[in-house]
Amino acid sequence: MINERIRHGFCYNLRVKNYLVFLLIVWCFNLSYSGENKSVIVFTSQDSIRLENTIKFFKLIGEDHLDKDVSLILADLERKFKINIFDHKFNPDINQQKLLLRSIWVYDPNLYWESASPATRDSIRFLLSKEYNRIKIDAFTIHACLCNKIPLPEDYFQLLDMKIKMGGYELTHAALQYRNLFINGCITEEQYNNKRDIIASLIISKVLFGNPAYETLIDLKIEGAAFLFYLKSPLVYSNDVQYFINNLAQYQDSSGGWISDVGGRVLQHSSLMALWLFLEMKETYK
């Protein structure tokens, strides 16, 4: 009888200790993402200089010489962050974008749809269906942006999950797609948070680090970091992301543009992703 009491007492004490350890782990996790800890991470003066130099890079290129997909996203970034890249508000000619099949449509995706004529909308529907059947990245992105305007295909989420597993640019664009699905009210907050956490973790472990095949793709890494912020992932405060950002400066060219690969090519797309990243960082770490 005494031994039985001792055994029960031992088990009780063990359960209490395990519970206390569990509470300690939860407390530490919450502390690592608390507002108090976030204040330690700031947008530094060096980050500000890199941002300004990136803007100067695009000023030097001029609005008439921007790549088409770059020009559309640049206009979105201006609206979102209330800045002017050039000396005036940038308004790209939407009608010359080949029905926007190379657009990303971030932050205010329905703007372009509302301004399109009925004939243009019909053309977009037709081409969107054609591109979707070819499982193209842009078709999935535009479907997410217009999910409250054009019904999603029945197998959309099944194929989107497949693309997440594919990694690379399919994975980073899935971040855009799920964010826009949520912005447009096509998935619940619970559904979004679940996918956001999965995608963000994969971007860090498979794109920023861990996959030797991506070591030469600087453009993909910068894009992955930018989309972590677009997702509003709490992992942007993690040590891994901070380590990546601290080492990012080596990829900025003296022109202010950003290197796309180990060959040293400076491209508008990688520079745009860096611009997006630093604008998001400035807003997040303020």
Side-chain angles (χ1 to χ4, degrees):
M1 190 67 155
I2 294 176
N3 289 338
E4 185 69 15
R5 289 178 180 175
I6 292 174
R7 186 175 67 82
H8 279 296
F10 174 78
C11 292
Y12 175 78
N13 289 334
L14 184 61
R15 286 196 297 270
V16 170
K17 288 180 180 179
N18 288 338
Y19 181 68
L20 291 175
V21 169
F22 172 75
L23 288 179
L24 179 62
I25 292 172
V26 171
W27 178 79
C28 290
F29 178 82
N30 289 334
L31 179 62
S32 68
Y33 291 115
S34 68
E36 181 180 353
N37 188 58
K38 289 179 182 180
S39 66
V40 176
I41 302 174
V42 296
F43 189 75
T44 68
S45 59
Q46 289 299 313
D47 293 329
S48 182
I49 291 172
R50 291 175 190 124
L51 172 59
E52 289 302 317
N53 287 337
T54 308
I55 292 175
K56 289 177 182 177
F57 170 78
F58 284 106
K59 285 182 180 290
L60 184 62
I61 291 174
E63 58 186 286
D64 295 330
H65 300 286
L66 294 172
D67 294 339
K68 289 182 177 180
D69 54 336
V70 169
S71 67
L72 280 170
I73 303 174
L74 204 61
D76 283 328
L77 296 181
E78 280 196 340
R79 281 192 299 274
K80 162 61 179 177
F81 296 102
K82 297 179 175 58
I83 62 169
N84 286 336
I85 302 299
F86 305 103
D87 295 331
H88 53 274
K89 183 179 179 181
F90 178 50
N91 290 305
D93 187 348
I94 297 175
N95 295 322
Q96 294 181 8
Q97 302 299 323
K98 295 184 179 180
L99 299 180
L100 313 183
L101 285 179
R102 285 298 303 159
S103 74
I104 302 299
W105 297 10
V106 296
Y107 300 118
D108 193 7
N110 291 288
L111 174 65
Y112 300 111
W113 180 262
E114 297 298 340
S115 62
S117 67
T120 298
R121 293 181 186 181
D122 289 340
S123 296
I124 291 177
R125 289 189 187 96
F126 173 76
L127 289 176
L128 184 54
S129 176
K130 183 178 178 180
E131 291 292 288
Y132 180 80
N133 289 333
R134 297 167 62 188
I135 320 183
K136 291 296 188 71
I137 283 178
D138 294 320
F140 279 78
T141 301
I142 295 175
H143 258 307
C145 291
L146 295 177
C147 64
N148 57 350
K149 304 293 182 182
I150 300 176
L152 291 170
E154 291 184 2
D155 60 352
Y156 182 83
F157 289 101
Q158 178 183 353
L159 293 179
L160 187 52
D161 286 345
M162 178 191 74
K163 284 175 167 285
I164 291 174
K165 295 177 182 178
M166 291 172 65
Y169 286 103
E170 297 286 0
L171 171 62
T172 55
H173 282 76
L176 282 175
Q177 291 148 10
Y178 264 106
R179 181 65 183 167
N180 283 327
L181 285 167
F182 176 65
I183 289 174
N184 287 300
C186 299
I187 57 175
T188 66
E189 184 173 4
E190 182 179 0
Q191 289 173 316
Y192 172 69
N193 287 341
N194 177 55
K195 290 298 181 181
R196 178 200 65 188
D197 294 344
I198 293 172
I199 293 170
S201 296
L202 287 173
I203 287 176
I204 292 174
S205 63
K206 301 297 184 182
V207 175
L208 301 190
F209 307 99
N211 193 331
Y214 299 151
E215 285 305 311
T216 60
L217 296 176
I218 312 305
D219 177 85
L220 175 62
K221 291 178 177 292
I222 297 174
E223 177 172 295
F227 292 174
L228 282 176
F229 284 86
Y230 184 58
L231 282 172
K232 303 297 182 186
S233 169
L235 291 180
V236 297
Y237 297 98
S238 68
N239 291 333
D240 284 340
V241 173
Q242 290 307 303
Y243 176 82
F244 177 82
I245 290 172
N246 290 339
N247 288 276
L248 197 62
Q250 62 184 303
Y251 302 122
Q252 187 167 33
D253 184 72
S254 58
S255 66
W258 291 78
I259 293 172
S260 174
D261 51 43
V262 292
R265 294 186 305 160
V266 175
L267 295 183
Q268 289 189 32
H269 184 269
S270 51
S271 302
L272 177 73
M273 291 298 106
L275 174 66
W276 191 349
L277 170 60
F278 280 98
L279 287 171
E280 289 276 13
M281 284 170 52
K282 184 178 181 180
E283 184 175 84
T284 303
Y285 295 156
K286 61 187 176 183

